[in-house]
Each structure stands twice: as structure tokens, then as C-alpha cells.
Amino acid sequence: MFNPEVAEIRFGTGLSPRVSAPQSAEEMLDGLLGPDRMMRDFPIEGFGDFRHRIVAFQKARRSERKAKNEDDRAAATKAKKRANTAARKAYAGMIRDTLLRRTQTSTGFRERLAFFWADHFTARGKSNIVRFGTSPYIEEAIRPHIAGRFEDLLIAAVTHPLMLHYLDQAQSVGPNSKLGKRRARGLNENLAREVMELHTLGVDGPYTQDDVRQLAELFAGLSLDQEGGFKFKPAHVEPGAETVLGKNYGRKGSLDDIHAALRDLARHPATARHIASKLARHFMADTPDPDLIDKLTAAYRDSDGNLLNVYVALLNHPASWQPEMTNIKRPIDFVATAMRALDVGEATLARSNQKFLLNLIVTPMQIMGQPWQTPNGPDGWPEEDSFWITPQFMAARLAWALSAPQEMLRVLPDPREFAQTALGQNAPPEVAFAASAAENRWEGIALVLTSPAFQKF
């Protein structure tokens, strides 16, 4: 049943020559409840701290526009560039620390889940400094809630300033509200639609366009202050109650009404099915065992969305421990598991600069089809393997495997030993043979990293 190597490859961050794989499902679950050591050892600033960078940039830009002479304009421009440079430097640090968490962690399940939920609740900045804000958003809205109740995660993500910015919620105003009548402004349904279609009920869920419209009216108070922080604005609220899935909300016109609607959506049976199916596809296969989905759905439904119960069901299901790996790694998983197997650690990444990260991580991942934290839409990255295994994307993986390891390490490991490190006891004989027969170490390492056995989890 339980297999440490399967656990680390399928549910964790890959095999490591230095970090032991978990020895039981209980250990994996305990890792979600204990202290978040990766958050402590490789800290990423939360959105509250990050927002000060936005404020500094906006202040400098306003000063630039209002400058009355060339000296004032030059000083403001310099301050704006300084804020932008500092944000770029911090952004590089976030990339570095995200990778270090993956390469150093002994609780890889936590890192994988943090990525899964961040992708489920995709949000990103669309301009200037805000475009660097995804990691701070994950740190604040996603990571603290991945082992709690889904409804708390849902509320934290949906009401977060970055999500409101990403889906243009701040421009949404109840058409019959005070502000709506005065300025002839109307609703934006983006957030309401994505909450129902992507975050809770699913694209085929039991809702109508009227439900979307009513939820958008209920959300009308969700907005931002002038500094990019969350603010509930009563003047935006549509008067009267809204009816979503047959239940009335909004009589008080308060944030409590919105939270109540989100909690009900989180506890809906369709949400249980949607979340269960997506988790099973992400960790298991494009077409997972139907019984696994049923078990995850039941665990979710019976516990009112307690995610830890769902993870227990996932790790206790026999399908989870089938030794055959079928899912194709996304580029972030491919790159990070390769770095972990190569033991590219703190000493190497700590001295990396923006150019190093751009050349060896960010640009190659973009060519592989996954530009860093910038999926095309709010539905996040595709789960389908067919998306990731095009000739162009696979060629990019091969190019990275041939060049990046020797750029990161002064001395590459022996390919024969590396095959065992990266693939474990069940390394395919043909891969082990190819690694041993390689003419040099960098070719041998590339053969292992590009083998079908390493490309899957």
C-alpha cells in the first residue's frame, strides 16, 4: 500500500539525495498541521508588506505627473524607478525562495497543495508593481488555509485585494446603489462568474445566469481602497436582497451577507464533486479512478469541506499507491524536482541573481509553456497531459536538461548514482543502462531527466 518513493514523487516534491521521503501517510498529514518551516526558513513577504511597494510607486508616479519643474520631475522619476527596481529584486527573491522551499522541504505535500490551491484560485496583478504580487497573495490568502475548511480558503481568496484587482471587481457597482445612480455605473460579473464556474460549483454546476447576476449584485460592495487594500464600500451595494441558488442574501447589505453566500457555495454538493474531481486529476491522472472521486466527494461532503479529511481519503485510497506514474509533470514540477534530485540548494540559489534566475528558470519555463505565475486566464494551468507534451514544449525540456544542470553545479553527480537518486528503486533498467553508457556526465544527467520515468508523477 504506502510506498515512500511513490509518496514523494506523486504527492511531494520529488526524490532527494539528502531529504528522506515520508515513511507513512500519517507523517504526510502531520506535516500539514505542524509548523510551516519552509515559510520560516525562506520567507516571502505577505501582501500587506508588498502593498507598501505599490503605494511607493503610485506616490512617485503622482509626483511625476504633478511636478512643476524639471528638478521635481527628475526626482519623482528617480523615486519611481527605485521603487520598481526594489520590487523586481524582491520578485527575484520570491522565485528563489519558492524553489528553495521545493528543494529543501521534508513536507513536500504542503508545497504541492499550496501550488494546487494557488492555481485553483488564480489571481495576478495586471500592471506596474502589482504584477509582482502573486507570491504575496499566495502567502497571505492561500498557504495558511490549505489544511483547514474550504469555505475559509474560499473567502480569503475571493475577497483578497489581488483577486478583486485581477477580476476588475473594484469597478463593479450596484446599478441602483447611490453611486450607481449618481455616476451611471453598473455591475461587473467577472468575480461572481468565476466563483461559481471555477472556484465552487464547476462549469457544469447547477446555476443559471440569474444566479451569476444575483451574486454579482451581492458582491457589489467588495472593492479596494486608494492604496490597493481591501475595502467594503456600502455606497456600491445594490439595494434589497439577492437570491442565489434559491436562498436570499443581502438584506443587511454587509460583508457578512457575502461571507454567508460563499460558505453556502462551499458546502454545496456540486462543489464537493468539483473539488474532489480536480484534486484527483491533479495528483493521479487525467481520468482518475471513479471510486477515488466518490470517496473524496464523500469526505468533503461529510465534513462540510474539511480539507484535511479529503486529504486523508486521498492518501488512504488504494489507487493513490499504484506504482505506475501516469501524470505528466508541469514545467514547475519538472524543473523543481530536477533541482531537488541534483541537490541544488541554498548555497547555489543564495548567490543567484536576477540574470541567473531569468536565464535558468524563468525563460526556460516560459518556453516549456508555463511562464512564471502568469497563466492565460483565471482557470489557471491546464491539467490535461496533452497540453504539456507538444514537440515544442518537450524540446524545451530537453534543452534545459542538457544545459541547466551544468550551469548550476560545478561538479555533476555520477549519472549511474543520479538515476537511482532521481527515480528510486524502480528506476527502469533501460534508463539506468543509458545513464551508465553516456559519454559524459552532462549527457547522462540529461538522459535521466528527459526519460519518461522522470517526466511523470
Side-chain angles (χ1 to χ4, degrees):
M1 183 80 168
F2 181 88
N3 180 306
E5 291 185 347
V6 172
E8 194 65 285
I9 293 172
R10 178 170 291 147
F11 298 107
T13 49
L15 298 177
S16 163
R18 191 160 43 81
V19 183
S20 300
Q23 298 302 303
S24 67
E26 290 73 22
E27 182 182 333
M28 295 171 69
L29 296 166
D30 288 345
L32 301 177
L33 300 175
D36 190 340
R37 292 177 180 166
M38 292 298 99
M39 201 173 181
R40 178 199 65 191
D41 293 348
F42 307 109
I44 293 174
E45 63 190 24
F47 199 81
D49 291 331
F50 175 79
R51 196 155 53 86
H52 294 305
R53 302 184 186 281
I54 303 172
V55 173
F57 182 86
Q58 291 174 335
K59 182 179 178 182
R61 192 168 60 173
R62 282 196 299 272
S63 298
E64 188 180 45
R65 282 200 302 264
K66 295 179 179 177
K68 295 180 179 178
N69 56 60
E70 287 303 316
D71 288 344
D72 288 349
R73 183 173 293 104
T77 301
K78 189 174 181 180
K80 192 177 72 172
K81 289 182 178 177
R82 193 163 52 242
N84 191 54
T85 300
R88 283 183 175 278
K89 187 176 180 180
Y91 179 63
M94 295 171 199
I95 296 173
R96 185 166 46 239
D97 285 335
T98 299
L99 290 168
L100 281 169
R101 289 176 178 183
R102 289 229 176 185
T103 60
Q104 305 298 300
T105 186
S106 59
T107 55
F109 193 34
R110 188 199 291 268
E111 301 307 318
R112 290 285 305 285
L113 286 169
F115 178 87
F116 172 82
W117 288 115
D119 186 58
H120 182 78
F121 292 107
T122 288
R124 61 186 176 91
K126 296 188 288 188
S127 61
N128 299 321
I129 302 294
V130 193
R131 70 186 188 278
F132 303 128
T134 298
S135 286
Y137 154 72
I138 295 170
E139 206 73 356
E140 188 172 271
I142 305 295
R143 199 171 175 99
H145 301 289
I146 60 173
R149 291 191 179 278
F150 179 74
E151 59 193 50
D152 295 325
L153 175 58
L154 177 68
I155 290 171
V158 169
T159 61
H160 193 274
L162 194 71
M163 182 69 79
L164 303 182
H165 158 82
Y166 180 49
L167 295 177
D168 300 319
Q169 176 61 28
Q171 283 76 52
S172 186
V173 175
N176 296 305
S177 66
K178 294 179 181 176
L179 186 65
K181 287 183 176 179
R182 192 165 68 241
R183 299 186 183 177
R185 291 173 58 180
L187 286 174
N188 185 312
E189 297 180 358
N190 287 351
L191 181 62
R193 187 175 306 283
E194 306 308 1
V195 164
M196 286 188 160
E197 182 173 309
L198 300 178
H199 302 152
T200 59
L201 305 175
V203 66
D204 298 319
Y207 60 91
T208 66
Q209 172 56 32
D210 284 344
D211 290 315
V212 173
R213 176 79 181 182
Q214 291 284 295
L215 189 61
E217 290 185 1
L218 186 64
F219 281 172
L222 297 176
S223 192
L224 302 172
D225 63 22
Q226 291 185 338
E227 296 184 345
F230 173 83
K231 186 173 184 179
F232 184 76
K233 296 183 176 178
H236 291 202
V237 173
E238 179 74 0
E242 284 78 31
T243 303
V244 181
L245 300 178
K247 188 170 180 178
N248 290 336
Y249 304 92
R251 288 176 179 165
K252 299 177 183 176
S254 69
L255 189 58
D256 289 342
D257 297 317
I258 296 171
H259 286 186
L262 289 172
R263 291 189 190 284
D264 286 340
L265 282 169
R267 296 179 186 185
H268 196 284
T271 300
R273 191 76 181 175
H274 177 56
I275 297 301
S277 300
K278 193 167 179 180
L279 269 168
R281 283 199 305 274
H282 183 79
F283 283 104
M284 298 302 300
D286 285 0
T287 308
D289 185 337
D291 184 68
L292 172 62
I293 297 176
D294 289 343
K295 292 290 193 302
L296 299 184
T297 302
Y300 183 106
R301 191 181 57 237
D302 294 346
S303 65
D304 282 339
N306 186 323
L307 294 174
L308 194 64
N309 287 30
V310 180
Y311 307 149
V312 170
L314 175 66
L315 298 183
N316 283 334
H317 197 279
S320 295
W321 303 105
Q322 295 297 322
E324 183 183 0
M325 302 293 171
T326 55
N327 254 355
I328 297 294
K329 293 177 180 175
R330 289 83 178 158
I332 177 61
D333 300 306
F334 167 64
V335 169
T337 55
M339 293 172 67
R340 183 174 169 92
L342 288 163
D343 203 19
V344 177
E346 197 169 358
T348 298
L349 288 181
R351 63 173 182 269
S352 62
N353 54 28
Q354 292 181 49
K355 185 177 180 182
F356 175 96
L357 293 167
L358 182 68
N359 291 340
L360 290 184
I361 306 295
V362 177
T363 299
M365 278 186 53
Q366 183 171 2
I367 300 172
M368 294 178 204
Q370 193 175 32
W372 189 265
Q373 293 181 337
T374 52
N376 286 332
D379 52 344
W381 299 110
E383 291 289 351
E384 298 81 7
D385 292 344
S386 58
F387 178 86
W388 302 108
I389 56 175
T390 66
Q392 177 189 349
F393 291 167
M394 295 308 290
R397 294 190 188 207
L398 174 61
W400 188 87
L402 283 167
S403 63
Q406 54 187 326
E407 293 289 334
M408 291 187 283
L409 298 178
R410 291 188 177 93
V411 180
L412 291 172
D414 185 312
R416 294 167 296 184
E417 296 174 2
F418 182 69
Q420 293 297 317
T421 298
L423 301 172
Q425 297 299 315
N426 293 321
E430 62 273 19
V431 178
F433 174 77
S436 66
E439 293 187 2
N440 50 56
R441 291 194 174 200
W442 61 271
E443 281 189 358
I445 298 297
L447 281 168
V448 175
L449 294 180
T450 55
S451 67
F454 188 80
Q455 295 289 328
K456 296 178 180 178
F457 58 20

